[in-house]
Amino acid sequence: MTEPKAEKSGAKKALGIVGAILVIVVIAGLKFGVASAIGNFFNKDETAAAKTGDCIAELPEVTGTEQEKVDGAKVVECTSTDAAYTVVGRVDGQTEAQVKADTTCTQFFKEGQEGYIFSSIEPGKTGYVLCLTKKV
């Protein structure tokens, strides 16, 4: 007589599959930077899709060539009472040095118009610049 083969139960098979998937996810996360992905998910750049004609909520007042780090900048409806700035131009693929040169937005500002520059650029990488004017 032959003994019947012991078969894995359905729960054990499912657990094995879930374990294999978890191992793949962990390896992929380590290789591609889970921390960065999680950080981007929780600290979503709410101005990343901003385009000419959009409006931005109030930002801290900065004068001259000062720069200030801003958290929580966001695009809002232009009819909203929160709308403080209008996007008059957008320039992608900019470095920090290009933004500091202070010429990125000059083509978008009219003569005598007070303009503001908002940029989102990670150190050592390129990003985008929004050219803003105060909403009237």
Side-chain angles (χ1 to χ4, degrees), residues 3-98:
E3 289 185 31
K5 291 183 181 177
E7 293 188 25
K8 289 185 177 179
S9 71
K12 285 185 179 179
K13 284 181 185 178
L15 189 58
I17 292 170
V18 169
I21 291 172
L22 184 59
V23 168
I24 291 170
V25 168
V26 168
I27 291 170
L30 292 172
K31 183 171 182 166
F32 299 111
V34 166
S36 176
I38 291 172
N40 289 340
F41 178 77
F42 288 110
N43 296 317
K44 184 180 175 197
D45 181 354
E46 294 194 40
T47 58
K51 60 191 179 308
T52 300
D54 285 344
C55 291
I56 306 292
E58 188 62 56
L59 299 168
E61 190 71 33
V62 179
T63 57
T65 58
E66 292 179 49
Q67 292 186 359
E68 184 172 326
K69 183 172 175 59
V70 176
D71 290 326
K74 64 182 178 180
V75 175
V76 295
E77 291 292 325
C78 290
T79 55
S80 167
T81 56
D82 292 336
Y85 299 92
T86 302
V87 178
V88 294
R90 179 185 174 110
V91 184
D92 291 303
Q94 297 293 290
T95 64
E96 289 177 309
Q98 288 171 310

Side-chain angles (χ1 to χ4, degrees), residues 52 86-89 104-116 131-134 136:
T52 300
T86 302
V87 178
V88 294
T104 305
C105 288
T106 53
Q107 62 183 328
F108 299 105
F109 299 139
K110 296 176 184 169
E111 184 73 31
Q113 184 179 38
E114 189 171 354
Y116 303 88
C131 308
L132 309 172
T133 57
K134 274 282 199 187
V136 286

